[in-house]
Amino acid sequence: MDQSNTSGVTEFELHSLSGSQELQLFYFAFFTLFYVTIVLGNLLIVLTVISEPALHTPMYFLLSNLSFIDVCLSTFAVPKMIIDFLMERKTISFEGCMAQIFFLHVFAGGEMMLLMAMAYDRYVAICRPLHYVSIMNAHKCIGLVVGCWLTGVLHSLSQLVFIVDLPFCGPNKVENFFCDPPLVIKLACTDTYFVQVLMLSDSGLMAMLSFVVLLISYMVILLTMRRRSSSNMAKARGTLTAHVTVVTLFFGPCIFIYAWPFNDLPVDKVLAIFYTVFTPILNPLIYTLRNKEVIIAMRKLRTRQVSS
């Protein structure tokens, strides 16, 4: 931190999605609508799961935590981007940039682990149904969620320690609408090859290994389901389809970005918008539109609110 202060770089300039004033006003309205929908949609899921006793199960407990993390993952950067559409200069302080990097990896790392916890829940439910209640007890569920958050924090600190003491002595334009670690590291006035390798080993391998483990677990579940045929398996197949869709939408952009983290590709900005805006809004749609239990619970919640 001291090195950056002595270099005189106290703020970074963020990249706009468009230089056109008319387009920026359109983006302001468009992303404001999306952000409000993300917050309301995901918080509605959390409130529904809390208020409906029929949803007090491990699967919905994990789903409500996923919705909460999606709100956080969108909030770390999207409100700043929305405000910047109205600003002539789109800047962020050095401290604000480091905070964005920290929260990005806390929430993204936590969501990776939570998706793995949800896959584990489905594995136990389908492959070991007789032991599901004893294995996925309340203590296990709480422990999984706490472990997800702790993993996210530790992962984020491991990223931040690479960056915070780098010397920044001139270039300060980040080619994205938030402080993405690979793009910030490129601005350092020193050889960052070692830091780049460490970051690739950390974030890149974490995303890739998590995705591979998830694919293997879902393949095992699918093979188990093929050997059974019942109405419960049909319901489980629908739930599993929703899980696989969410996993693909989340990990796809992350893996692509961190596979070539230090090459400035124009598509990176599109993918960054995808996992900070579109994935958090798709999650509640995917889970609620395909899930009759959640829809019924939401109708009950609305009825209670109207009657009260």
Side-chain angles (χ1 to χ4, degrees), residues 41-68 287-288 291 293-295 297-298 301 304:
N42 282 288
L43 291 184
L44 177 60
I45 291 178
V46 174
L47 181 61
T48 302
V49 172
I50 292 173
S51 63
E52 178 54 52
L55 300 183
H56 292 176
T57 63
M59 184 179 78
Y60 292 112
F61 174 71
L62 296 174
L63 173 60
S64 64
N65 278 275
L66 177 66
S67 293
F68 179 73
Y287 282 111
T288 56
N291 194 308
E293 291 178 332
V294 175
I295 293 174
M298 286 182 174
L301 178 62
R304 286 198 296 267

Side-chain angles (χ1 to χ4, degrees), residues 161-189:
V161 74
F162 297 152
I163 303 172
V164 71
D165 284 328
L166 288 174
F168 296 94
C169 56
N172 69 337
K173 187 168 183 178
V174 180
E175 294 295 328
N176 211 333
F177 62 91
F178 65 90
C179 287
D180 198 17
L183 300 179
V184 174
I185 288 176
K186 286 175 61 177
L187 302 177
C189 302

Side-chain angles (χ1 to χ4, degrees), residues 247-290:
V247 165
T248 303
L249 291 174
F250 180 76
F251 278 94
C254 292
I255 291 174
F256 186 91
I257 289 173
Y258 282 96
W260 301 275
F262 301 98
N263 293 326
D264 186 16
L265 302 175
V267 73
D268 285 357
K269 301 178 184 65
V270 177
L271 294 176
I273 292 173
F274 198 89
Y275 71 78
T276 57
V277 178
F278 294 124
T279 300
I281 203 174
L282 287 173
N283 285 353
L285 293 176
I286 290 170
Y287 282 111
T288 56
L289 292 180
R290 297 180 61 89

